[in-house]
């Protein structure tokens, strides 16, 4: 990191990256609050509607791996701006879509908005020293607020302007964000030796990479799954209006996102492993409460909010460890772990839709969530590499 850079440049990089990620996440999550609209418009069954909601999550997750590496290699400013500009194409195409298959294809490419997570964290991490990584990457994760904005704002925009105009307005928004980032953003000079894709992917040989991916599959995957599927679940299970379901989902996203920096800060001070032990215990309780309260909105809401709190803390704690796994390949590890988290948000909505279609209830889906949380708790307690914790222990 150059010593002569302006003192305010890291803060500027953090701020710009967070805003750009939030704008991209609005795009990434726009199909979730409109799921019921599309379900009625194209007469979809539960699985088809879930697939439409989950499709952006799939591409956004998988593409985090190359986008994190490209951000390391070519600089976050260039890669971030190009990705946001690309989103204009599927948005405009979706505004003219007249069939489910075309809309599904547009939804898949709109998923590129989710890949900006890896770009953002790779870009920001290079501006700050290791002792601040937990808090800083937690703050960068506030870009998840774009999901909350989509949950509440997209239904309002749709009600006022109609479906096609909603897509076009969002295309204008993301285009403006891309131009702003390009004009105001700066990159640190590239490191002396830049690894190719194959060399960067060598981090897959490390057990710690797979363990962090497992943990993020639950914490961020749970966050994404609830963000995209709660509007549908609340409308079908509790007969809420689209606006009310969107508002409740926005509260969930807001709580999970705002508390994320706290998870990173605690991980800086006491170590991520200890924080995650509390997270997995607490989320298991929340999942169990949600399982028992699928007929009572007040109790289900309580379980969701408790779950949001622990998921947010867990997200911050996991990414505190990412730069410590391989400091020279932060982009690669960020992309792989981020992809695992995104895939954790892809499968649950589809599984819940399938389970509900088959049994008429969501109970078994929440039971599976509780079991998977217990598995993560076990791995954290017995098999995580102590080396991951060295940096956090020294900082404590």
């Amino acid at each position: 990191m150059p010593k002569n850079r302006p003192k305010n440049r890291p803060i500027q990089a953090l701020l710009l990256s967070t805003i750009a990620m939030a704008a991209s996440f609005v795009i990434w999550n726009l199909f979730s609050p409109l799921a019921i609209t599309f379900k009625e418009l194209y007469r979809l069954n539960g699985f088809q509607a879930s697939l439409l909601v989950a499709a952006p999550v799939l591409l956004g997750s998988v593409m985090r791996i190359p986008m994190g590496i490209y951000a390391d290699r070519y600089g976050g400013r260039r890669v971030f701006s190009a990705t946001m500009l690309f989103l204009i194409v599927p948005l405009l195409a979706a505004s003219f879509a007249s069939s489910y298959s075309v809309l599904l294809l547009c939804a898949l490419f709109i998923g590129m908005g989710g890949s900006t997570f890896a770009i953002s964290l790779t870009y920001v991490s290079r501006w700050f020293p290791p002792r601040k990584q937990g808090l800083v990457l937690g703050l960068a994760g506030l870009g998840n607020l774009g999901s909350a904005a989509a949950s509440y704002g997209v239904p309002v925009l749709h009600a006022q302007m109609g479906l096609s105009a909603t897509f076009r307005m969002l295309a204008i928004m993301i285009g403006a964000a891309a131009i702003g980032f390009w004009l105001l953003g700066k990159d640190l000079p590239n490191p002396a030796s830049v690894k190719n894709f194959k060399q960067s992917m060598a981090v897959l040989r490390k057990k710690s990479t797979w363990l962090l991916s497992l943990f993020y599959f639950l914490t961020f995957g749970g966050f994404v799954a609830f963000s995209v599927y709660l509007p549908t679940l609340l409308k079908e299970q509790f007969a809420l209006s689209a606006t009310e379901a969107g508002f409740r989902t926005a509260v969930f996203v807001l709580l999970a996102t705002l508390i994320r920096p706290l998870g990173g800060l605690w991980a800086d001070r006491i170590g991520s492993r200890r924080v995650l032990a509390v997270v997995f215990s607490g989320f298991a309780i929340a999942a169990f409460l949600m399982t028992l309260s699928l007929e009572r909105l007040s109790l289900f809401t309580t379980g969701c909010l408790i779950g949001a709190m622990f998921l947010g803390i867990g997200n911050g704690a996991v990414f505190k460890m990412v730069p410590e796994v391989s400091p020279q390949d932060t982009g690669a590890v960020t992309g792989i772990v981020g992809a695992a988290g995104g895939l954790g948000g892809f499968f649950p909505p589809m599984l819940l839709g399938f389970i509900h279609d088959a049994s008429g209830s969501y109970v078994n889906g929440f039971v599976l969530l509780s079991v998977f949380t217990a598995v993560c708790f076990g791995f954290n307690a017995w098999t995580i590499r102590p080396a991951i914790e060295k940096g956090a222990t020294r900082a404590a």
Side-chain angles (χ1 to χ4, degrees), residues 35-36 38-39 42-56 58 100 104 228-229 232 236 346-359 362:
I36 296 298
F38 293 125
K39 188 174 183 179
Y42 296 109
R43 299 180 180 179
L44 309 178
N45 59 33
F47 179 78
Q48 288 174 316
S50 298
L51 183 60
L52 186 63
V53 168
L58 177 62
Y100 172 71
L104 184 61
V228 302
Y229 202 74
T232 300
E236 292 188 345
F346 171 73
F347 291 107
M350 294 179 62
L351 184 61
L352 283 172
F354 176 79
I355 289 174
H356 187 264
D357 282 349
S359 66
Y362 291 107

Side-chain angles (χ1 to χ4, degrees), residues 278-339:
V278 175
V279 165
F280 295 145
S281 300
F283 187 68
I285 294 172
F288 184 68
L289 179 59
M290 285 184 274
T291 304
L292 298 178
S293 61
L294 284 168
E295 302 298 328
R296 301 179 62 181
L297 180 59
S298 58
L299 280 179
F300 183 78
T301 299
T302 301
C304 283
L305 294 179
I306 294 173
M309 180 179 68
F310 283 111
L311 289 176
I313 293 172
N315 288 335
V318 170
F319 260 90
K320 157 63 181 175
M321 294 188 279
V322 166
E324 297 166 10
V325 169
S326 184
Q328 303 305 316
D329 295 292
T330 301
V333 179
T334 297
I336 292 167
V337 175

Side-chain angles (χ1 to χ4, degrees), residues 17 20 67-84 116 118-124 126-127 181-182 185-188 190:
S17 182
M67 300 310 282
I69 294 172
Y70 292 151
D72 253 347
R73 187 167 188 175
Y74 301 111
R77 174 173 174 258
R78 184 182 303 174
V79 177
F80 219 146
S81 301
T83 303
M84 288 189 284
T116 59
I119 304 170
S120 177
L121 268 65
T122 301
Y123 175 71
V124 170
R126 294 183 61 191
W127 288 94
F181 193 88
W182 176 259
K186 301 292 181 182
D187 272 319
L188 284 172
N190 285 334

